[in-house]
Structures are given as structure tokens and as C-alpha cells.
């Protein structure tokens, strides 16, 4: 079995050795421009069109959870990957735990008013503030997929009321579930902390805008863990000014790296990280890819295939 590998930043030689160990009998090579030799599988992140175009592959694996960048390239270059070749993505593979760590630490930060105490410290003020209670801290998670479900689980364990909004209703214990546009308003009305874990699709671009933020409770919080294009950043800044939103924690931005002139850098109630909420964990990713390739070779049912028509 021949596997080609391309990632602009990963330690390719390390990955090749680990993949060959996971899949005895497979020959893994780094794809380089000009390599047209046959291959059965391709493992990629931001692949050049030339790498995939015209190849008779059994499957392509994206080395991340979100496939928006590869799907957007495919819209420009549909010849890069015919629909007959399945595209897989990483399902959890260690990202669920990272998202849980991120979400729990940030929600507790706001819940215990550490943002307010930090602001008081700037003014040298010693001032105990009233406590928040959990019943005024309802968590609303947009996107109830692999990662959204993990985040819901961890915040439930901390005793917060949790609700989710996605395409279809979920029957999860102790979680209120809302689905589709018709239930969006009801979902937002009680939400105090909005956590975004939607995929980037034509339907979700710009979804966190003035109209949506306006339906949240006053003095709400936004945690964006998914993609920057989900948030209209100018409208978020306005909501921060008019009191709708009290604080935002952003891991992802409409342009990355975030340009220095963006006012988000300087806003006192915006915190940020540079798109590190959940990174690809090599061992877990390789175990999943190995298991999935073995399943495909045996003709077994596997999970993680992207629905290209749906866009995620
Ligand atoms: N910031 C970071 O470091 C990372 C960000 N991500 C982002 O997180 C996203 C989510 O990942 P997973 O949970 O694995 O995806 P998933 O595909 O398992 O879940 C997506 C969820 O969104 C819902 N959804 C999709 N379109 C919708 C719509 N139009 N209306 C309502 N609900 C809709 C689906 O029903 C599903 O519940 C990824 O697409 C990626 O962009 C993923 C990993 C790391
Ligand atoms: O896997 C993804 O989609 C990511 O955003 C990784 O950072």
C-alpha cells in the first residue's frame, strides 16, 4: 500500500515513521512537487492542487477536524478530487479533551468574575463583587457534533445548565436541545455563555452577527472555538460597547494571523489565543487513520467521512 503525505508545518519524517509503524506493510512518502507516482491514500493539510489532481486514490484524509479549507479549494478546482474518492477528517482524536479544557477554564474564569477582578486590579481596587449563580449562567453551544458534545459533557459535570443548537434534536440527558432556524431564538433567549463549535459552511458564515447577539441575555459572553468567519467582528465590537456582550474569548479570526490594526487586539474585554484551541494530536490521529484505512481495506464500515454536499 502506498501513502502520500503533505503537511506544510508538521515534522513529516516523524509522521512517516509513525504511520509505517501503525500500518505495517504500508510505504509512506512525503509528497513533493513533480511526484506523479501512484498512491492508494493521501494524508493532507492545505494540499497543492497538483498533489491530488488526476490520482486514483482510495481515500483522502484531512489532518484536522475542519475541512473548510480543502472544500473551498475544491470549489475552485473540482478536478482535484472527484466525488467518487471519499474524504475523511479527524474525529476527536484528542481534540475533544482540549476543547473541554479550553471551555471549562474560560467559563469558570467568567463565572468566578476573574475578568472583573483583573479590571479592578488595574485600578488598584480591593472590592469583593456579588457572586454569579449557576442558574444565571446557562451555556448555549452552537454545533452539537463530535466536539460540541464533549464540551457539553464537561460543562454539565461542572453543574452548569447546558443547551445545544444544531441541525437535529439531541436526546442527551440533562441537555436542552434546539434545532434549526425556527428554534434559534428560543435557544438564544436563555443563553448567557454562547460557545461556537459549528463547521464553516455557506449556511454558518457570519452567523454570529448583530441579529444573533441581540437575542442573547444582556451581559453575555462569547467563546468562539470554531472558525473566525462565523463571527462578524465589527458587530461583535458593537455588542461589546452596548452591553449585550460583556466579554469575548476568541481562538479564531476572520483573518489569521489577526492583523495588528484589528481593534480586537486592544479591546479590554476581548481575550484571545492564536488558533490553538485544539490541535492535531499525532498519536491519536495516526491511530484513527490506521484503524480507518484497515477498515476500508477490509470493506468494513468506518466513520469520519465528510459529506461534501453538506460541507462538513
Ligand atoms: N479552533 C480550533 O482549534 C479547532 C476548531 N475546529 C472547528 O470545530 C468545528 C466542529 O468540529 P466537530 O465537532 O468535529 O464537527 P461535527 O461535524 O462533528 O459537528 C458539527 C455540528 O454542527 C451542526 N451544524 C452544522 N451545520 C449546521 C447548521 N447550518 N445549523 C445548525 N447546526 C449545524 C451539526 O448538526 C453538528 O452538530 C470544525 O468544523 C472546525 O472548524 C475543530 C478543531 C480545532
Ligand atoms: O483541526 C482543525 O480544524 C483545526 O482548526 C486545527 O487547529
Amino acid at each position: 500500500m502506498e501513502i502520500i503525505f503533505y503537511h506544510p508545518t508538521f515534522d513529516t519524517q516523524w509522521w512517516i515513521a509513525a504511520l509505517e509503524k501503525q500500518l505495517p506493510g504500508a510505504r509512506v512518502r512525503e509528497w513533493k512537487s513533480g511526484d506523479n507516482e501512484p498512491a492508494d491514500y493521501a494524508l493532507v493539510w492545505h494540499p497543492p492542487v497538483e498533489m491530488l489532481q488526476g490520482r486514483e486514490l482510495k481515500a483522502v484524509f484531512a489532518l484536522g477536524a475542519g475541512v473548510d479549507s480543502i472544500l473551498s479549494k475544491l470549489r475552485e478546482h473540482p478536478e482535484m478530487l472527484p466525488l467518487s474518492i471519499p474524504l475523511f477528517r479527524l474525529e476527536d482524536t484528542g481534540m475533544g479533551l482540549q476543547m473541554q479544557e479550553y471551555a471549562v477554564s474560560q467559563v469558570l474564569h467568567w463565572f468566578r468574575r476573574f475578568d472583573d477582578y483583573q479590571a479592578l486590579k488595574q485600578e488598584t481596587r480591593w472590592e469583593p463583587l456579588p457572586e454569579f449563580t449557576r442558574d444565571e449562567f446557562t451555556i448555549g453551544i452552537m454545533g452539537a457534533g463530535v466536539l460540541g458534545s464533549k464540551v457539553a459533557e464537561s460543562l454539565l459535570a461542572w453543574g452548569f445548565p447546558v443547551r445545544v443548537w444544531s441541525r437535529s434534536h439531541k436526546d442527551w440527558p440533562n441537555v436542552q436541545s434546539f434545532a434549526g432556524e425556527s428554534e434559534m431564538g428560543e435557544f438564544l433567549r436563555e443563553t448567557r455563555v454562547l460557545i461556537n463549535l459549528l463547521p464553516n459552511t455557506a449556511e454558518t458564515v457570519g452567523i454570529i452577527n448583530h441579529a444573533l447577539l441581540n437575542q442573547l441575555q444582556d451581559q453575555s459572553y462569547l467563546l468562539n472555538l470554531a472558525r473566525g468567519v462565523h463571527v462578524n467582528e465589527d458587530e461583535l465590537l458593537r455588542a461589546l460597547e452596548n452591553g449585550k456582550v460583556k466579554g469575548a474569548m476568541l481562538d479564531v479570526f476572520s483573518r489569521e494571523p489577526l492583523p495588528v490594526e484589528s481593534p480586537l487586539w486592544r479591546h479590554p474585554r476581548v481575550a484571545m489565543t492564536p488558533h490553538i484551541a485544539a490541535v492535531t494530536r499525532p498519536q491519536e490521529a495516526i491511530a484513527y487513520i490506521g484503524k480507518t484505512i484497515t477498515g476500508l481495506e477490509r470493506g468494513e464500515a468506518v466513520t469520519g467521512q465528510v459529506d461534501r454536499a453538506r460541507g462538513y
Side-chain angles (χ1 to χ4, degrees):
M1 178 197 305
E2 296 287 329
I3 300 177
I4 45 176
F5 182 96
Y6 178 86
H7 195 294
T9 57
F10 282 0
D11 178 347
T12 300
Q13 294 316 314
W14 184 93
W15 273 75
I16 289 175
L19 282 158
E20 288 185 340
K21 196 166 163 208
Q22 185 76 28
L23 282 163
R27 212 174 67 89
V28 187
R29 67 179 190 272
E30 178 179 14
W31 180 85
K32 291 196 174 128
S33 181
D35 173 355
N36 296 316
E37 293 302 309
D40 300 293
Y41 296 96
L43 276 45
V44 300
W45 195 245
H46 297 302
V49 176
E50 179 203 348
M51 176 184 183
L52 301 179
Q53 185 169 284
R55 280 188 184 278
E56 286 181 26
L57 294 161
K58 293 183 186 171
V60 172
F61 287 83
L63 294 166
V67 284
D68 45 341
S69 65
I70 190 164
L71 292 184
S72 101
K73 203 168 221 182
L74 276 170
R75 279 192 288 281
E76 279 172 46
H77 301 279
E79 74 286 0
M80 184 168 114
L81 193 65
L83 281 166
S84 54
I85 301 176
L87 171 65
F88 289 85
R89 69 183 191 97
L90 298 181
E91 279 189 317
D92 193 335
T93 62
M95 293 192 199
L97 179 60
Q98 295 172 72
M99 288 296 189
Q100 289 180 324
E101 292 161 356
Y102 198 122
V104 168
S105 59
Q106 188 58 36
V107 168
L108 291 175
H109 180 89
W110 285 322
F111 181 65
R112 294 304 309 267
R113 307 195 67 160
F114 293 156
D115 53 343
D116 293 321
Y117 287 116
Q118 189 63 26
L120 288 171
K121 175 176 178 277
Q122 301 298 323
E123 298 173 28
T124 337
R125 278 168 62 193
W126 178 279
E127 186 181 322
L129 299 170
E131 285 181 313
F132 289 139
T133 59
R134 278 175 169 69
D135 59 6
E136 54 189 357
F137 239 72
T138 295
I139 314 291
I141 303 171
M142 296 172 78
V146 173
L147 301 177
S149 63
K150 287 291 212 175
V151 167
E153 196 183 283
S154 60
L155 288 162
L156 267 181
W158 275 94
F160 291 100
V162 174
R163 47 180 51 205
V164 294
W165 179 80
S166 62
R167 262 186 205 282
S168 55
H169 286 116
K170 308 292 172 207
D171 188 15
W172 298 345
N174 304 316
V175 174
Q176 268 190 294
S177 167
F178 301 82
E181 260 181 59
S182 61
E183 294 180 14
M184 165 79 100
E186 205 187 334
F187 162 77
L188 294 170
R189 205 168 305 132
E190 299 287 319
T191 293
R192 182 75 185 275
V193 181
L194 184 69
I195 301 182
N196 178 34
L197 273 165
L198 286 168
N200 169 16
T201 68
E203 288 169 14
T204 63
V205 168
I207 193 167
I208 302 175
N209 55 19
H210 171 74
L212 181 145
L213 295 169
N214 228 13
Q215 294 175 70
L216 292 169
Q217 293 199 357
D218 288 343
Q219 300 286 299
S220 284
Y221 303 87
L222 172 68
L223 177 50
N224 189 14
L225 299 174
R227 287 291 183 261
V229 291
H230 287 133
V231 176
N232 181 320
E233 290 166 355
D234 290 338
E235 294 180 14
L236 169 62
L237 284 162
R238 245 191 291 149
L240 280 156
E241 290 320 306
N242 70 21
K244 220 3 147 177
V245 175
K246 180 159 182 271
M249 176 78 193
L250 310 172
D251 179 56
V252 283
F253 300 87
S254 56
R255 278 179 61 200
E256 293 178 8
L258 182 65
V260 283
E261 58 275 17
S262 168
L264 291 170
W265 281 110
R266 285 165 287 279
H267 198 288
R269 283 179 286 119
V270 174
M272 60 173 79
T273 48
H275 198 146
I276 49 74
V279 300
T280 297
R281 288 271 150 88
Q283 290 297 0
E284 286 102 324
I286 287 167
Y288 161 77
I289 293 167
K291 186 176 79 166
T292 307
I293 289 181
T294 304
L296 289 171
E297 290 290 313
R298 291 183 184 148
E300 293 168 1
V302 292
T303 64
Q305 187 172 343
V306 173
D307 179 337
R308 283 173 58 179
R310 207 175 54 171
Y312 64 100

